[in-house]
Coordinates of all heavy atoms in Angstrom, one line a residue:
M1 N 27.5 -6.6 0.5 CA 26.5 -5.7 -0.2 C 26.7 -4.2 0.3 O 26.5 -3.9 1.4 CB 25.1 -6.1 0.2 CG 24.0 -5.5 -0.6 SD 22.4 -6.2 -0.3 CE 22.0 -5.5 1.3
P2 N 27.2 -3.4 -0.6 CA 27.6 -2.0 -0.2 C 26.5 -1.0 -0.1 O 25.6 -1.0 -0.9 CB 28.6 -1.6 -1.3 CG 28.6 -2.6 -2.3 CD 27.5 -3.6 -2.0
R3 N 26.6 -0.1 0.9 CA 25.6 0.9 1.0 C 26.0 2.1 0.1 O 27.2 2.5 0.1 CB 25.5 1.4 2.4 CG 24.4 2.4 2.7 CD 24.5 2.9 4.1 NE 25.6 3.8 4.4 CZ 26.0 4.2 5.6 NH1 25.4 3.8 6.6 NH2 27.1 5.0 5.7
V4 N 25.1 2.6 -0.7 CA 25.5 3.7 -1.6 C 24.8 5.1 -1.2 O 25.2 6.1 -1.7 CB 25.1 3.4 -3.0 CG1 25.9 2.2 -3.5 CG2 23.6 3.1 -3.2
Y5 N 23.8 5.0 -0.3 CA 23.1 6.2 0.0 C 22.3 6.1 1.3 O 21.8 5.1 1.6 CB 22.0 6.5 -1.1 CG 21.3 7.8 -1.1 CD1 22.0 9.0 -1.3 CD2 19.9 7.8 -0.9 CE1 21.3 10.2 -1.3 CE2 19.2 9.0 -0.9 CZ 19.9 10.2 -1.1 OH 19.3 11.4 -1.1
V6 N 22.3 7.2 2.1 CA 21.4 7.3 3.3 C 20.4 8.4 2.9 O 20.7 9.5 2.7 CB 22.2 7.8 4.5 CG1 21.3 7.9 5.7 CG2 23.3 6.7 4.8
A7 N 19.1 8.0 2.9 CA 18.1 8.8 2.5 C 17.5 9.7 3.6 O 17.7 9.4 4.8 CB 16.9 8.0 1.9
S8 N 16.9 10.8 3.2 CA 16.2 11.6 4.2 C 14.9 11.0 4.7 O 14.5 11.2 5.9 CB 16.0 13.0 3.7 OG 15.2 13.0 2.5
D9 N 14.3 10.2 3.9 CA 13.1 9.6 4.3 C 12.8 8.4 3.4 O 13.6 8.2 2.4 CB 11.9 10.5 4.3 CG 11.6 11.2 3.0 OD1 11.8 10.6 2.0 OD2 11.3 12.4 3.0
L10 N 11.7 7.7 3.6 CA 11.5 6.4 2.9 C 11.1 6.7 1.4 O 11.5 6.0 0.5 CB 10.3 5.7 3.5 CG 10.1 4.3 3.0 CD1 11.3 3.4 2.9 CD2 9.0 3.6 3.8
V11 N 10.4 7.8 1.2 CA 10.1 8.2 -0.2 C 11.4 8.5 -1.0 O 11.5 8.0 -2.1 CB 9.2 9.5 -0.2 CG1 8.9 9.9 -1.7 CG2 7.9 9.2 0.5
D12 N 12.3 9.2 -0.4 CA 13.6 9.5 -1.0 C 14.3 8.2 -1.3 O 14.8 8.0 -2.4 CB 14.4 10.3 0.0 CG 15.7 10.8 -0.6 OD1 15.7 11.1 -1.8 OD2 16.7 11.0 0.1
A13 N 14.3 7.2 -0.4 CA 15.0 6.0 -0.6 C 14.4 5.2 -1.7 O 15.0 4.6 -2.6 CB 15.0 5.1 0.7
Q14 N 13.0 5.1 -1.7 CA 12.3 4.4 -2.7 C 12.5 5.0 -4.1 O 12.7 4.2 -5.1 CB 10.8 4.3 -2.4 CG 10.0 3.5 -3.3 CD 10.4 2.0 -3.2 OE1 10.4 1.4 -2.2 NE2 10.8 1.4 -4.3
L15 N 12.5 6.3 -4.2 CA 12.7 7.0 -5.5 C 14.1 6.6 -6.1 O 14.2 6.2 -7.2 CB 12.7 8.5 -5.2 CG 12.5 9.3 -6.5 CD1 11.2 9.0 -7.2 CD2 12.5 10.8 -6.1
L16 N 15.1 6.6 -5.2 CA 16.5 6.3 -5.7 C 16.5 4.8 -6.1 O 17.1 4.4 -7.1 CB 17.5 6.6 -4.6 CG 19.0 6.1 -5.0 CD1 19.4 6.9 -6.3 CD2 19.9 6.4 -3.9
A17 N 15.9 3.9 -5.3 CA 15.9 2.5 -5.6 C 15.3 2.2 -7.0 O 15.7 1.4 -7.8 CB 15.2 1.7 -4.5
D18 N 14.2 3.0 -7.2 CA 13.5 2.8 -8.5 C 14.4 3.3 -9.7 O 14.4 2.6 -10.7 CB 12.2 3.6 -8.5 CG 11.1 3.0 -7.6 OD1 11.3 1.8 -7.2 OD2 10.1 3.7 -7.3
V19 N 15.1 4.4 -9.5 CA 15.9 4.9 -10.5 C 17.1 3.9 -10.8 O 17.4 3.6 -11.9 CB 16.5 6.3 -10.1 CG1 17.6 6.7 -11.2 CG2 15.4 7.3 -10.0
L20 N 17.6 3.3 -9.7 CA 18.7 2.3 -9.9 C 18.2 1.1 -10.6 O 18.8 0.6 -11.5 CB 19.2 1.9 -8.5 CG 20.1 3.0 -7.8 CD1 20.4 2.6 -6.3 CD2 21.4 3.2 -8.5
H21 N 17.0 0.7 -10.3 CA 16.4 -0.5 -11.0 C 16.2 -0.1 -12.4 O 16.4 -1.0 -13.3 CB 15.0 -0.8 -10.4 CG 15.1 -1.5 -9.0 ND1 14.1 -1.4 -8.1 CD2 16.1 -2.2 -8.5 CE1 14.5 -2.1 -7.0 NE2 15.7 -2.6 -7.2
G22 N 15.9 1.1 -12.7 CA 15.8 1.5 -14.1 C 17.1 1.5 -14.9 O 17.1 1.4 -16.1
H23 N 18.2 1.5 -14.1 CA 19.5 1.4 -14.7 C 20.0 0.0 -14.7 O 21.2 -0.3 -15.0 CB 20.5 2.3 -14.0 CG 20.4 3.8 -14.4 ND1 19.4 4.5 -13.9 CD2 21.1 4.6 -15.2 CE1 19.5 5.8 -14.3 NE2 20.6 5.8 -15.1
G24 N 19.1 -0.9 -14.3 CA 19.5 -2.3 -14.3 C 20.4 -2.7 -13.1 O 21.1 -3.7 -13.1
I25 N 20.3 -1.9 -12.0 CA 21.1 -2.1 -10.8 C 20.1 -2.6 -9.7 O 19.2 -1.9 -9.4 CB 21.8 -0.8 -10.4 CG1 22.8 -0.4 -11.5 CG2 22.6 -1.1 -9.1 CD1 23.3 1.0 -11.3
A26 N 20.4 -3.8 -9.2 CA 19.6 -4.3 -8.1 C 19.9 -3.6 -6.8 O 21.0 -3.5 -6.4 CB 19.8 -5.8 -7.9
A27 N 18.9 -2.9 -6.2 CA 19.1 -2.2 -4.9 C 18.1 -2.6 -3.9 O 16.9 -3.0 -4.2 CB 19.0 -0.7 -5.2
R28 N 18.5 -2.5 -2.6 CA 17.5 -2.8 -1.6 C 17.5 -1.6 -0.6 O 18.5 -0.9 -0.4 CB 18.0 -4.0 -0.8 CG 17.8 -5.3 -1.6 CD 18.1 -6.5 -0.7 NE 17.3 -6.5 0.6 CZ 17.7 -7.2 1.7 NH1 18.7 -7.9 1.6 NH2 16.9 -7.1 2.7
I29 N 16.4 -1.5 0.1 CA 16.3 -0.4 1.1 C 16.3 -1.1 2.5 O 15.6 -2.0 2.8 CB 14.9 0.3 1.0 CG1 14.9 1.0 -0.4 CG2 14.8 1.4 2.1 CD1 13.5 1.6 -0.7
L30 N 17.2 -0.6 3.3 CA 17.3 -1.1 4.7 C 16.8 0.0 5.7 O 16.8 1.2 5.3 CB 18.8 -1.5 5.1 CG 19.2 -2.9 4.7 CD1 19.2 -3.1 3.2 CD2 20.5 -3.2 5.3
N31 N 16.4 -0.4 6.8 CA 15.8 0.5 7.8 C 14.5 1.1 7.4 O 14.0 2.1 7.9 CB 16.8 1.6 8.2 CG 18.0 1.1 8.9 OD1 18.0 0.1 9.5 ND2 19.0 1.9 8.9
A32 N 13.8 0.5 6.3 CA 12.6 1.1 5.8 C 11.5 1.2 6.9 O 10.8 2.2 6.9 CB 12.1 0.3 4.6
H33 N 11.4 0.2 7.7 CA 10.4 0.2 8.7 C 10.7 0.9 9.9 O 9.9 1.5 10.6 CB 10.0 -1.3 9.0 CG 9.6 -2.0 7.8 ND1 8.4 -1.7 7.1 CD2 10.1 -3.0 7.1 CE1 8.3 -2.5 6.1 NE2 9.3 -3.3 6.1
A34 N 12.0 1.0 10.2 CA 12.5 1.7 11.4 C 12.2 3.2 11.3 O 11.9 3.8 12.3 CB 14.0 1.5 11.6
A35 N 12.2 3.7 10.1 CA 11.9 5.2 9.9 C 10.5 5.6 10.1 O 10.2 6.7 10.3 CB 12.5 5.6 8.6
G36 N 9.6 4.6 9.9 CA 8.2 5.0 10.0 C 7.6 5.4 8.7 O 8.1 6.3 8.1
A37 N 6.6 4.8 8.2 CA 6.0 5.1 6.9 C 5.5 6.5 6.7 O 5.6 7.1 5.7 CB 4.9 4.1 6.5
L38 N 5.1 7.1 7.8 CA 4.5 8.4 7.7 C 5.5 9.5 8.1 O 5.2 10.7 8.1 CB 3.3 8.5 8.6 CG 2.1 7.6 8.2 CD1 1.0 7.7 9.2 CD2 1.7 7.9 6.8
G39 N 6.7 9.1 8.5 CA 7.7 10.1 8.8 C 7.5 10.8 10.2 O 8.1 11.8 10.5
E40 N 6.5 10.3 10.9 CA 6.2 10.9 12.2 C 7.2 10.6 13.3 O 7.1 11.2 14.4 CB 4.8 10.6 12.6 CG 3.8 11.2 11.7 CD 2.4 10.8 12.0 OE1 2.1 10.0 12.9 OE2 1.5 11.3 11.3
L41 N 8.1 9.6 13.0 CA 9.0 9.2 14.0 C 10.4 9.7 13.6 O 11.4 9.2 14.0 CB 9.1 7.7 14.2 CG 7.8 7.1 14.6 CD1 7.9 5.6 14.7 CD2 7.3 7.6 16.0
S42 N 10.4 10.9 12.9 CA 11.7 11.3 12.3 C 12.7 11.8 13.4 O 13.8 12.0 13.1 CB 11.4 12.4 11.3 OG 10.7 13.5 11.9
F43 N 12.2 12.0 14.6 CA 13.1 12.4 15.7 C 14.1 11.3 16.0 O 15.1 11.4 16.7 CB 12.4 12.9 16.9 CG 11.4 11.9 17.5 CD1 11.9 11.0 18.5 CD2 10.1 11.8 17.0 CE1 11.0 10.1 19.0 CE2 9.3 10.9 17.6 CZ 9.7 10.0 18.6
I44 N 13.7 10.0 15.6 CA 14.6 8.9 15.8 C 15.6 8.9 14.7 O 15.2 8.9 13.5 CB 13.8 7.6 15.9 CG1 12.8 7.6 17.0 CG2 14.7 6.4 15.9 CD1 11.9 6.4 17.1
D45 N 16.8 8.9 15.1 CA 17.9 9.0 14.0 C 18.2 7.7 13.3 O 19.3 7.2 13.4 CB 19.1 9.6 14.7 CG 20.1 10.0 13.6 OD1 19.7 10.2 12.5 OD2 21.3 10.1 13.9
V46 N 17.2 7.1 12.7 CA 17.4 6.0 11.9 C 16.8 6.3 10.5 O 15.6 6.4 10.4 CB 16.7 4.7 12.5 CG1 16.9 3.5 11.5 CG2 17.2 4.4 13.9
R47 N 17.7 6.4 9.5 CA 17.3 6.8 8.2 C 17.3 5.6 7.3 O 18.1 4.7 7.4 CB 18.2 7.9 7.7 CG 18.1 9.2 8.4 CD 19.0 10.2 7.8 NE 18.8 11.5 8.4 CZ 19.3 12.6 7.9 NH1 20.0 12.6 6.8 NH2 19.0 13.8 8.5
P48 N 16.4 5.6 6.3 CA 16.4 4.5 5.3 C 17.7 4.6 4.5 O 18.2 5.6 4.2 CB 15.3 4.8 4.4 CG 14.4 5.8 5.1 CD 15.3 6.5 6.0
E49 N 18.3 3.4 4.3 CA 19.5 3.3 3.5 C 19.3 2.5 2.2 O 18.6 1.5 2.2 CB 20.6 2.6 4.4 CG 20.9 3.3 5.7 CD 21.9 2.6 6.5 OE1 22.2 1.4 6.2 OE2 22.4 3.2 7.5
V50 N 20.0 2.9 1.2 CA 19.9 2.2 -0.1 C 21.2 1.4 -0.3 O 22.3 2.0 -0.2 CB 19.6 3.2 -1.3 CG1 19.6 2.4 -2.6 CG2 18.4 3.9 -1.1
W51 N 21.1 0.1 -0.5 CA 22.2 -0.7 -0.7 C 22.1 -1.4 -2.1 O 21.0 -1.7 -2.5 CB 22.2 -1.9 0.4 CG 22.4 -1.4 1.8 CD1 21.6 -0.6 2.5 CD2 23.6 -1.7 2.6 NE1 22.1 -0.4 3.8 CE2 23.3 -1.0 3.9 CE3 24.7 -2.5 2.5 CZ2 24.2 -1.1 4.9 CZ3 25.6 -2.6 3.5 CH2 25.4 -1.9 4.8
V52 N 23.3 -1.5 -2.7 CA 23.4 -2.2 -4.0 C 23.7 -3.6 -3.7 O 24.6 -4.0 -3.0 CB 24.5 -1.5 -4.9 CG1 24.7 -2.3 -6.2 CG2 24.1 -0.1 -5.2
S53 N 22.9 -4.5 -4.4 CA 23.1 -5.9 -4.1 C 24.4 -6.5 -4.6 O 25.0 -7.3 -3.9 CB 21.9 -6.7 -4.8 OG 20.7 -6.3 -4.3
E54 N 24.9 -6.0 -5.7 CA 26.1 -6.5 -6.3 C 27.2 -5.5 -6.2 O 27.1 -4.4 -6.7 CB 25.9 -6.9 -7.8 CG 24.9 -7.9 -8.1 CD 25.3 -9.3 -7.6 OE1 26.5 -9.5 -7.5 OE2 24.4 -10.1 -7.3
P55 N 28.3 -5.9 -5.5 CA 29.5 -4.9 -5.4 C 30.0 -4.4 -6.7 O 30.4 -3.2 -6.8 CB 30.5 -5.8 -4.7 CG 29.8 -6.8 -3.9 CD 28.6 -7.1 -4.7
R56 N 29.9 -5.2 -7.8 CA 30.4 -4.7 -9.1 C 29.5 -3.6 -9.6 O 29.9 -3.0 -10.6 CB 30.4 -5.9 -10.0 CG 29.1 -6.6 -10.3 CD 29.3 -7.8 -11.2 NE 28.1 -8.7 -11.1 CZ 27.0 -8.5 -11.7 NH1 26.8 -7.5 -12.5 NH2 26.0 -9.4 -11.6
D57 N 28.3 -3.4 -9.1 CA 27.4 -2.4 -9.6 C 27.6 -1.0 -8.9 O 27.0 0.0 -9.3 CB 25.9 -2.8 -9.3 CG 25.4 -3.8 -10.3 OD1 26.1 -3.9 -11.4 OD2 24.5 -4.5 -10.0
V58 N 28.5 -1.0 -7.9 CA 28.7 0.3 -7.2 C 29.2 1.4 -8.0 O 28.7 2.5 -8.0 CB 29.6 0.0 -6.0 CG1 30.0 1.4 -5.3 CG2 29.0 -0.9 -4.9
A59 N 30.1 1.1 -8.9 CA 30.7 2.1 -9.8 C 29.6 2.7 -10.7 O 29.6 3.9 -11.0 CB 31.9 1.6 -10.6
R60 N 28.7 1.9 -11.2 CA 27.6 2.3 -12.0 C 26.6 3.1 -11.2 O 26.0 4.0 -11.7 CB 27.0 1.1 -12.7 CG 27.8 0.6 -13.9 CD 26.9 -0.2 -14.8 NE 26.2 -1.3 -14.2 CZ 25.0 -1.7 -14.4 NH1 24.3 -1.0 -15.3 NH2 24.4 -2.7 -13.8
A61 N 26.5 2.7 -10.0 CA 25.4 3.4 -9.1 C 25.8 4.8 -8.7 O 25.0 5.6 -8.5 CB 25.2 2.5 -7.9
E62 N 27.1 5.0 -8.6 CA 27.6 6.3 -8.0 C 27.1 7.5 -8.8 O 26.6 8.4 -8.1 CB 29.1 6.3 -8.0 CG 29.6 5.5 -6.7 CD 31.1 5.4 -6.7 OE1 31.8 5.8 -7.7 OE2 31.7 4.9 -5.7
P63 N 27.2 7.6 -10.1 CA 26.7 8.8 -10.8 C 25.2 8.9 -10.7 O 24.6 10.0 -10.7 CB 27.1 8.6 -12.3 CG 27.4 7.1 -12.4 CD 27.9 6.7 -11.0
V64 N 24.5 7.8 -10.6 CA 23.0 7.8 -10.4 C 22.7 8.4 -9.0 O 21.8 9.2 -8.9 CB 22.4 6.4 -10.6 CG1 20.9 6.4 -10.4 CG2 22.8 5.8 -11.9
V65 N 23.4 7.9 -8.0 CA 23.2 8.5 -6.7 C 23.5 9.9 -6.6 O 22.8 10.7 -6.0 CB 24.0 7.7 -5.7 CG1 23.9 8.3 -4.3 CG2 23.6 6.2 -5.6
A66 N 24.6 10.3 -7.3 CA 25.0 11.7 -7.2 C 23.9 12.6 -7.9 O 23.6 13.7 -7.4 CB 26.3 11.9 -8.0
A67 N 23.4 12.2 -9.0 CA 22.3 12.9 -9.7 C 21.1 13.0 -8.8 O 20.4 14.0 -8.7 CB 22.0 12.3 -11.0
H68 N 20.8 11.9 -8.2 CA 19.6 11.9 -7.3 C 19.8 12.8 -6.1 O 18.9 13.6 -5.7 CB 19.4 10.5 -6.8 CG 18.3 10.3 -5.7 ND1 17.0 10.2 -6.1 CD2 18.4 10.3 -4.4 CE1 16.3 10.1 -5.0 NE2 17.1 10.2 -3.9
D69 N 21.0 12.9 -5.6 CA 21.3 13.7 -4.4 C 21.2 15.2 -4.8 O 20.7 16.0 -4.0 CB 22.7 13.4 -3.9 CG 22.8 13.5 -2.4 OD1 21.8 13.6 -1.8 OD2 24.0 13.5 -1.9
R70 N 21.7 15.6 -6.0 CA 21.6 17.0 -6.4 C 20.1 17.4 -6.6 O 19.8 18.6 -6.3 CB 22.3 17.1 -7.7 CG 23.8 17.3 -7.6 CD 24.4 17.8 -8.9 NE 24.1 17.0 -10.0 CZ 24.9 15.9 -10.4 NH1 25.9 15.6 -9.7 NH2 24.6 15.2 -11.4
R71 N 19.3 16.5 -7.0 CA 17.9 16.9 -7.3 C 17.1 17.2 -6.0 O 16.2 18.0 -6.0 CB 17.3 15.7 -8.0 CG 15.8 15.7 -8.1 CD 15.3 14.3 -7.9 NE 15.7 13.8 -6.6 CZ 14.9 13.7 -5.5 NH1 13.7 14.1 -5.6 NH2 15.4 13.3 -4.4
G72 N 17.5 16.5 -4.9 CA 16.7 16.5 -3.7 C 16.2 17.8 -3.2 O 15.0 18.1 -3.3
P73 N 17.1 18.7 -2.7 CA 16.6 19.9 -2.0 C 16.0 20.9 -3.0 O 15.2 21.8 -2.5 CB 17.9 20.5 -1.4 CG 18.9 19.4 -1.5 CD 18.5 18.6 -2.7
S74 N 16.3 20.9 -4.3 CA 15.8 21.9 -5.2 C 14.4 21.6 -5.7 O 13.7 22.4 -6.2 CB 16.7 22.0 -6.4 OG 16.7 20.7 -7.1
A75 N 13.9 20.4 -5.4 CA 12.5 20.0 -5.8 C 11.6 20.0 -4.6 O 11.7 19.1 -3.8 CB 12.5 18.7 -6.6
P76 N 10.8 21.0 -4.5 CA 9.9 21.0 -3.3 C 8.8 19.9 -3.4 O 8.4 19.6 -4.5 CB 9.2 22.4 -3.4 CG 9.3 22.8 -4.8 CD 10.6 22.2 -5.3
D77 N 8.5 19.4 -2.2 CA 7.4 18.4 -2.2 C 6.1 19.0 -2.6 O 5.8 20.2 -2.4 CB 7.3 17.9 -0.8 CG 8.4 16.9 -0.4 OD1 9.2 16.6 -1.3 OD2 8.5 16.5 0.7
R78 N 5.2 18.2 -3.1 CA 3.8 18.6 -3.4 C 2.9 17.8 -2.6 O 3.1 16.6 -2.4 CB 3.6 18.5 -4.9 CG 4.5 19.3 -5.8 CD 4.2 19.2 -7.2 NE 4.3 17.8 -7.7 CZ 4.0 17.4 -8.9 NH1 3.5 18.3 -9.8 NH2 4.1 16.2 -9.3
R79 N 1.8 18.4 -2.2 CA 0.8 17.7 -1.4 C -0.2 17.0 -2.2 O -0.8 17.5 -3.2 CB 0.1 18.7 -0.4 CG 1.1 19.0 0.7 CD 0.4 19.6 1.9 NE 1.4 20.0 2.9 CZ 2.0 19.1 3.7 NH1 1.6 17.9 3.7 NH2 2.9 19.5 4.5
C80 N -0.6 15.8 -1.7 CA -1.6 15.0 -2.3 C -3.0 15.7 -2.0 O -3.2 16.1 -0.9 CB -1.6 13.6 -1.7 SG -3.1 12.6 -2.2
A81 N -3.8 15.8 -3.0 CA -5.1 16.4 -2.8 C -6.1 15.6 -2.0 O -7.0 16.0 -1.5 CB -5.7 16.8 -4.2
S82 N -5.8 14.3 -2.0 CA -6.7 13.3 -1.3 C -6.4 13.2 0.1 O -7.2 13.3 1.0 CB -6.7 12.0 -2.0 OG -7.1 12.1 -3.4
C83 N -5.1 12.9 0.4 CA -4.7 12.6 1.8 C -3.7 13.6 2.4 O -3.5 13.5 3.6 CB -4.1 11.1 1.9 SG -2.5 11.0 1.1
G84 N -3.3 14.5 1.6 CA -2.4 15.6 2.2 C -1.0 15.1 2.4 O -0.2 15.9 2.9
E85 N -0.6 13.9 1.9 CA 0.7 13.5 2.1 C 1.7 14.2 1.2 O 1.4 14.4 0.0 CB 0.8 12.0 1.8 CG 2.1 11.3 2.0 CD 2.4 11.2 3.5 OE1 1.5 11.3 4.4 OE2 3.6 11.1 3.9
P86 N 2.8 14.7 1.6 CA 3.8 15.3 0.8 C 4.4 14.3 -0.2 O 4.8 13.2 0.2 CB 4.9 15.8 1.7 CG 4.3 15.8 3.1 CD 3.3 14.7 3.0
N87 N 4.5 14.6 -1.5 CA 5.1 13.8 -2.5 C 6.3 14.5 -3.2 O 6.2 15.7 -3.4 CB 4.1 13.4 -3.5 CG 3.1 12.3 -3.0 OD1 3.3 11.1 -3.2 ND2 2.1 12.7 -2.3
P88 N 7.3 13.8 -3.6 CA 8.4 14.4 -4.4 C 7.8 15.0 -5.6 O 6.8 14.6 -6.2 CB 9.3 13.3 -4.7 CG 9.0 12.2 -3.7 CD 7.5 12.4 -3.3
A89 N 8.4 16.1 -6.1 CA 7.9 16.9 -7.2 C 7.9 16.0 -8.5 O 7.1 16.3 -9.4 CB 8.8 18.1 -7.5
S90 N 8.6 15.0 -8.6 CA 8.7 14.1 -9.8 C 7.5 13.1 -9.8 O 7.3 12.5 -10.8 CB 10.0 13.3 -9.8 OG 10.1 12.6 -8.7
F91 N 6.7 13.1 -8.7 CA 5.6 12.1 -8.7 C 4.4 12.8 -9.2 O 4.0 13.9 -8.9 CB 5.3 11.7 -7.2 CG 6.2 10.7 -6.7 CD1 7.5 10.6 -7.1 CD2 5.8 9.8 -5.7 CE1 8.4 9.6 -6.6 CE2 6.7 8.8 -5.2 CZ 8.0 8.7 -5.6
A92 N 3.7 12.1 -10.1 CA 2.4 12.6 -10.7 C 1.2 12.1 -9.9 O 0.2 12.7 -9.9 CB 2.3 12.2 -12.1
S93 N 1.4 11.0 -9.1 CA 0.3 10.6 -8.3 C 0.9 10.2 -6.9 O 2.1 9.9 -6.8 CB -0.4 9.3 -8.9 OG 0.6 8.3 -9.1
C94 N 0.1 10.2 -5.9 CA 0.5 10.0 -4.5 C 1.1 8.7 -4.3 O 0.5 7.7 -4.6 CB -0.7 10.3 -3.6 SG -0.3 10.0 -1.9
W95 N 2.3 8.6 -3.6 CA 2.9 7.3 -3.3 C 2.1 6.6 -2.3 O 2.1 5.4 -2.2 CB 4.3 7.5 -2.8 CG 4.4 8.2 -1.5 CD1 4.5 9.6 -1.3 CD2 4.5 7.7 -0.2 NE1 4.6 9.9 0.0 CE2 4.5 8.7 0.7 CE3 4.4 6.3 0.2 CZ2 4.6 8.5 2.1 CZ3 4.5 6.1 1.6 CH2 4.6 7.2 2.5
Q96 N 1.3 7.3 -1.5 CA 0.6 6.6 -0.4 C -0.8 6.1 -0.8 O -1.1 5.0 -0.6 CB 0.4 7.6 0.8 CG -0.4 7.0 1.9 CD -0.2 7.8 3.2 OE1 0.7 7.5 4.0 NE2 -1.0 8.8 3.4
C97 N -1.6 7.0 -1.5 CA -3.0 6.6 -1.8 C -3.2 6.5 -3.3 O -4.3 6.1 -3.7 CB -3.9 7.6 -1.1 SG -4.1 9.2 -1.9
G98 N -2.3 7.0 -4.1 CA -2.5 6.9 -5.6 C -3.3 8.1 -6.1 O -3.6 8.1 -7.3
G99 N -3.6 9.1 -5.3 CA -4.4 10.2 -5.7 C -3.6 11.2 -6.5 O -2.4 11.1 -6.6
W100 N -4.4 12.2 -7.0 CA -3.8 13.3 -7.8 C -2.9 14.1 -6.9 O -3.3 14.5 -5.8 CB -4.9 14.1 -8.4 CG -4.4 15.4 -9.0 CD1 -4.7 16.6 -8.5 CD2 -3.6 15.6 -10.1 NE1 -4.2 17.6 -9.3 CE2 -3.5 17.0 -10.3 CE3 -3.0 14.7 -11.0 CZ2 -2.7 17.5 -11.3 CZ3 -2.3 15.3 -12.1 CH2 -2.2 16.7 -12.2
V101 N -1.7 14.5 -7.4 CA -0.8 15.4 -6.7 C -0.9 16.8 -7.3 O -0.6 16.9 -8.5 CB 0.6 14.8 -6.7 CG1 1.6 15.8 -5.9 CG2 0.7 13.5 -6.0
E102 N -1.2 17.8 -6.5 CA -1.3 19.1 -7.0 C 0.1 19.6 -7.5 O 1.1 19.4 -6.8 CB -1.8 20.1 -5.9 CG -3.2 19.8 -5.5 CD -3.6 20.7 -4.3 OE1 -3.0 21.8 -4.2 OE2 -4.6 20.4 -3.6
P103 N 0.1 20.3 -8.6 CA 1.4 20.9 -9.1 C 1.8 22.0 -8.1 O 1.0 22.6 -7.5 CB 1.0 21.5 -10.4 CG -0.3 20.9 -10.9 CD -1.0 20.5 -9.6
A104 N 3.1 22.1 -8.0 CA 3.7 23.1 -7.1 C 3.3 24.5 -7.6 O 3.4 24.8 -8.8 CB 5.2 23.0 -7.0
E105 N 2.8 25.4 -6.7 CA 2.3 26.7 -7.1 C 3.5 27.7 -7.0 O 3.5 28.7 -7.7 CB 1.2 27.1 -6.2 CG 0.0 26.3 -6.4 CD -1.2 26.8 -5.5 OE1 -1.0 27.8 -4.8 OE2 -2.2 26.1 -5.5
S106 N 4.5 27.4 -6.2 CA 5.6 28.3 -6.2 C 6.9 27.4 -6.0 O 6.9 26.5 -5.2 CB 5.5 29.3 -5.0 OG 5.4 28.6 -3.8
A107 N 7.9 27.8 -6.8 CA 9.1 26.9 -6.7 C 10.2 27.7 -6.2 O 10.2 28.9 -6.1 CB 9.4 26.4 -8.1
Ligands
ZN201 ZN1 -2.5 10.6 -1.2

């Protein structure tokens, strides 16, 4: 089972896994729990990893991963109005509590 991506955090890993699933590619996240759900243990150098279940899917996954990677730094996180959790700009609702995510005021 090949690794295709090392994420900056669990949200990043989950977002990519969801996109891969949308392309019909089975993907798994490893180290999801080691990184800490709230990112407060980020000083520990264990990052979530995205693995493709089928080796034959790697070639199809590569452009998806590349597109995901380009998107990352250019899209600032937005904070949940309910719990204050940062969410990726592509999220309309909070990944943690499901609350409304405020639109970014400055990009
Ligand atoms: Zn929230």
Side-chain angles (χ1 to χ4, degrees):
M1 195 173 74
R3 187 182 71 189
V4 294
Y5 187 67
V6 178
S8 56
D9 55 39
L10 187 53
V11 177
D12 188 31
Q14 185 63 57
L15 196 62
L16 177 59
D18 286 347
V19 174
L20 288 170
H21 287 154
H23 284 75
I25 300 168
R28 287 186 56 197
I29 299 171
L30 273 66
N31 292 341
H33 301 293
L38 297 178
E40 291 176 358
L41 300 177
S42 57
F43 59 90
I44 297 176
D45 190 21
V46 178
R47 294 180 171 193
E49 299 176 349
V50 179
W51 294 64
V52 173
S53 300
E54 299 291 337
R56 59 184 162 81
D57 283 337
V58 170
R60 284 202 300 142
E62 278 174 353
V64 179
V65 173
H68 174 83
D69 214 12
R70 279 196 301 273
R71 165 220 59 101
S74 61
D77 286 353
R78 300 183 300 175
R79 283 196 184 280
C80 172
S82 300
C83 72
E85 186 69 21
N87 283 266
S90 58
F91 281 28
S93 59
C94 178
W95 66 272
Q96 177 163 268
C97 75
W100 168 249
V101 178
E102 295 178 19
E105 293 180 5
S106 60

